[in-house]
Amino acid sequence: MESSLTWKLRLFDCLSVPTLILKPNRIVVDVNTSFLEKFKTDIKQVVGNACHDFFYNSATPCPLENCGLAQVLADRQGHSVLRYMTTDAGEKWDNRVFSPILDAAGEVLYIVECIHDVTQLKLLERELSGAKDFTQKLIQSSTTAIIAADCRGKIVTMNPAAEELTGYSLKEAQEKITTKNLYPPGQAREIMKNLRDESLGGKGKLHLSRVTIVNAQGEEIPVELTAAIIYEGDQEAATVGLFNDLREKLKHEQSMRELLRRIYRAEKMASLGHLAAGVAHEINNPLTGIIFYSDSLLNTLEKDDPRRRSLTHIYEDAKRCGKIIKNLLAYSRQETPHTEILHVNTLLEHSLGLIRDAKFFMGIQIRKELSEDIILIQGDRDQLGQVIVNLVMNAVDAMDQKGTLTLRTYRHKPAQKAYIEVADTGRGIPKKNLPLIFDPFFTTKAPGKGTGLGLSTAYGIIKENKGHIWVKETSGKGTTFAVEFPLYQPSAP
Ligand SMILES: Nc1ncnc2c1ncn2[C@@H]1O[C@H](COP(=O)(O)OP(=O)(O)O)[C@@H](O)[C@H]1O
Ligand SMILES: [Mg+2]
């Protein structure tokens, strides 16, 4: 049987880790075979030399923080140090593990130094951290808002774009909210359900869906969301969401739709206007005849003649037709406007004066909120008067002989605009009718009561006068129509 010493010597030599045995004075007393192979040296070059001399060609020991041997001597315990070197073959990292061999008295007799090459590990580590840095930079600079949360919804990270979108700083988000607070009630749960649904982008993935988020100020923001669950094994570990703000896009789409509707309306009005003008001209002559002859006939009849009733009907209905025709002609802009400078308050009073029939306003309170400034605009008094009359008549029609009719004038000096508003406390305009009310012949009134030409005529006239007309407000509590004009600008003398 071999002695235990021989075993120990063989063990020393067959260790695949290069190993030295040193005396406390740093002189190498032995090295194993792996050491000789690794450092391509023979035993005579090493043994008997100081370690700093062999490894670093230095006459003095390494500083304490780099010298595992000195650390072992200080506390008689094992220590390891990481050493970095550049060699002809490139960079090299060693993890050097120093262990004491103690004598019976507990003093350090020898130090064993094992040299583990950790170069591969270190290079990999560096590569990984480089990749991590890169990913981090990518996330930080992305204009898409990115938010990651753990499986309980606690925010783990978010990039600056997400901070801007949500109005929370990362710290606030981590401390104050979970992903649930980022959505209107119930929506977070819905999103998680969709994420796990295999038919929507695959399990753990959610492709582009339109959702609403709620920012720190409580505002709802429409966004496009792409989301994913991050799995560890088959466990859900985290979720990540990519959000794109849709506000700009939706605003753009809305103005495009508005533009198309305006073009459509303008075309419709132009063609209808053409037709209306033709018909109006054709009918005007025979109508003048009917009015003239029925009037003359009426004058020849006795006061109690039974035919008077029918004849009066003929006369009045023909007059009404005449009025419709006048409207049609105004609408198709067959009447040349007479432009003059008008004071909006006077225009309003003058228009109200046109509706002489006091019965018309019965039960309705008229409130005037007229500006004290002198607001001047330029336009055709009769045409604009007609617009106001139409708005006032509609307002009264909507109120069923009760409520308040408010007439308002004001101006916005910086924008150089004048405004007239006609507000009622009537039944309001249903949402579905709003896109139609300015269309010619659109009416919700009983036949004989409404022609559907009031607002379309108004629209045409206001356009002609370089203004705008729109429904500023409507609900079950009433409607406000607003008309905007450019302020009159006296040209410099
Ligand atoms: N102030 C208002 N309140 C409620 N509905 C209104 C108001 N003004 C207009 N409308 C709606 O718009 C329609 C079109 O108006 P208009 O062009 O003046 O035609 P008409 O008055 O002959 O019906 C009306 O029939 C009504 O449905
Ligand atoms: Mg009307």
Side-chain angles (χ1 to χ4, degrees):
M1 208 171 124
E2 290 177 81
S3 74
S4 90
L5 183 66
T6 330
W7 268 110
K8 283 178 185 162
L9 284 176
R10 275 175 53 188
L11 186 71
F12 179 57
D13 254 347
C14 76
L15 274 180
S16 61
V17 183
T19 306
L20 329 78
I21 298 177
L22 299 136
K23 281 207 221 155
N25 64 2
R26 296 185 173 79
I27 300 296
V28 180
V29 291
D30 202 357
V31 295
N32 68 356
T33 322
S34 322
F35 184 94
L36 298 176
E37 279 164 10
K38 176 87 190 215
F39 288 89
K40 296 192 180 57
T41 181
D42 65 71
I43 202 141
K44 282 190 235 107
Q45 307 284 327
V46 206
V47 172
N49 284 318
C51 53
H52 46 88
D53 188 12
F54 176 78
F55 287 116
Y56 305 107
N57 237 336
S58 156
T60 50
C62 307
L64 181 67
E65 70 270 19
N66 285 341
C67 179
L69 185 141
Q71 293 172 19
V72 168
L73 288 180
D75 61 5
R76 284 178 247 146
Q77 310 226 334
H79 285 275
S80 68
V81 292
L82 190 69
R83 296 304 303 260
Y84 170 79
M85 281 162 283
T86 45
T87 67
D88 297 344
E91 295 172 299
K92 190 170 171 315
W93 275 274
D94 286 338
N95 186 32
R96 299 188 171 210
V97 182
F98 295 82
S99 319
I101 298 177
L102 306 178
D103 63 11
E107 291 303 318
V108 179
L109 210 54
Y110 295 105
I111 296 101
V112 182
E113 177 180 355
C114 297
I115 304 175
H116 298 270
D117 184 349
V118 290
T119 308
Q120 284 307 322
L121 210 67
K122 279 279 154 196
L123 288 178
L124 213 66
E125 204 176 276
R126 188 199 283 166
E127 214 170 283
L128 259 172
S129 104
K132 213 170 122 197
D133 272 3
F134 180 70
T135 320
Q136 196 58 23
K137 274 190 199 128
L138 210 68
I139 292 172
Q140 290 300 310
S141 60
S142 166
T143 52
T144 295
I146 302 174
I147 301 175
D150 70 13
C151 50
R152 297 213 314 281
K154 224 170 123 37
I155 309 268
V156 178
T157 185
M158 56 200 252
N159 65 354
E163 289 182 320
E164 192 177 327
L165 180 70
T166 62
Y168 295 106
S169 70
L170 173 60
K171 196 161 171 287
E172 285 169 340
Q174 284 173 332
E175 286 168 2
K176 290 192 193 152
I177 60 163
T178 67
T179 44
K180 221 157 98 188
N181 307 104
L182 285 176
Y183 303 99
Q187 200 178 306
R189 186 180 288 268
E190 184 70 13
I191 290 171
M192 283 314 289
K193 205 177 99 205
N194 292 343
L195 257 169
R196 296 183 184 117
D197 188 337
E198 300 213 17
S199 67
L200 300 168
K203 188 166 164 56
K205 293 197 176 72
L206 185 64
H207 287 322
L208 277 194
S209 49
R210 197 176 263 200
V211 299
T212 304
I213 66 160
V214 182
N215 71 5
Q217 288 76 44
E219 293 164 336
E220 299 205 339
I221 303 171
V223 294
E224 220 162 42
L225 166 72
T226 317
I229 298 178
I230 299 168
Y231 290 96
E232 244 157 47
D234 49 9
Q235 292 283 313
E236 288 178 7
T239 53
V240 59
L242 277 66
F243 303 81
N244 279 312
D245 192 339
L246 285 179
R247 280 176 294 187
E248 275 303 306
K249 193 173 156 197
L250 290 181
K251 214 155 72 192
H252 185 68
E253 276 175 14
Q254 171 73 25
S255 59
M256 275 312 277
R257 267 202 300 275
E258 181 62 27
L259 188 68
L260 281 176
R261 202 157 57 216
R262 282 225 290 272
I263 292 172
Y264 169 72
R265 181 182 292 151
E267 261 178 21
K268 193 153 130 192
M269 288 182 78
S271 53
L272 271 167
H274 234 72
L275 180 74
V279 174
H281 273 301
E282 289 302 321
I283 293 178
N284 223 4
N285 290 337
L287 205 56
T288 318
I290 294 171
I291 292 169
F292 175 77
Y293 289 114
S294 53
D295 192 31
S296 323
L297 261 178
L298 262 175
N299 288 332
T300 62
L301 291 185
E302 294 296 328
K303 279 248 166 351
D304 51 359
D305 194 308
R307 286 169 297 175
R308 270 196 91 90
R309 224 173 92 86
S310 308
L311 213 48
T312 310
H313 275 310
I314 294 176
Y315 175 76
E316 291 203 327
D317 284 353
K319 276 285 238 216
R320 207 153 67 86
C321 289
K323 236 194 236 161
I324 293 173
I325 295 225
K326 204 168 142 47
N327 270 339
L328 272 176
L329 285 172
Y331 161 62
S332 56
R333 291 170 234 153
Q334 295 291 308
E335 290 173 342
T336 21
H338 298 283
T339 311
E340 54 191 314
I341 298 160
L342 306 165
H343 181 335
V344 285
N345 290 358
T346 320
L347 175 69
L348 210 64
E349 298 283 7
H350 161 81
S351 315
L352 279 184
L354 291 177
I355 313 172
R356 282 184 208 96
D357 192 353
K359 264 209 313 259
F360 182 74
F361 290 113
M362 206 138 67
I364 291 169
Q365 200 186 344
I366 301 178
R367 191 160 71 203
K368 292 179 192 163
E369 295 175 4
L370 305 187
S371 166
E372 284 175 6
D373 301 316
I374 298 195
I375 305 177
L376 299 180
I377 60 171
Q378 215 170 4
D380 181 311
R381 180 206 303 265
D382 290 337
Q383 283 190 351
L384 296 182
Q386 167 94 48
V387 170
I388 292 161
V389 167
N390 288 352
L391 293 179
V392 167
M393 294 210 311
N394 281 345
V396 170
D397 280 348
M399 285 197 287
D400 293 329
Q401 310 286 289
K402 57 174 186 290
T404 310
L405 170 77
T406 308
L407 302 164
R408 203 172 287 131
T409 58
Y410 58 97
R411 70 173 170 188
H412 188 255
K413 240 182 152 182
Q416 289 288 300
K417 301 286 185 201
Y419 296 89
I420 297 177
E421 285 180 12
V422 177
D424 63 58
T425 55
R427 67 179 71 92
I429 303 171
K431 207 170 168 197
K432 68 170 183 359
N433 287 350
L434 269 178
L436 304 172
I437 54 167
F438 290 105
D439 284 356
F441 306 112
F442 175 81
T443 180
T444 55
K445 292 170 193 169
K449 238 201 137 216
T451 58
L453 282 172
L455 286 181
S456 52
T457 307
Y459 188 88
I461 291 173
I462 296 298
K463 268 264 115 66
E464 194 98 316
N465 284 276
K466 300 194 176 57
H468 286 296
I469 178 167
W470 72 99
V471 177
K472 187 176 173 188
E473 233 180 277
T474 186
S475 70
K477 290 194 184 121
T479 305
T480 304
F481 274 86
V483 187
E484 178 195 86
F485 299 98
L487 278 178
Y488 168 65
Q489 312 234 358
S491 42

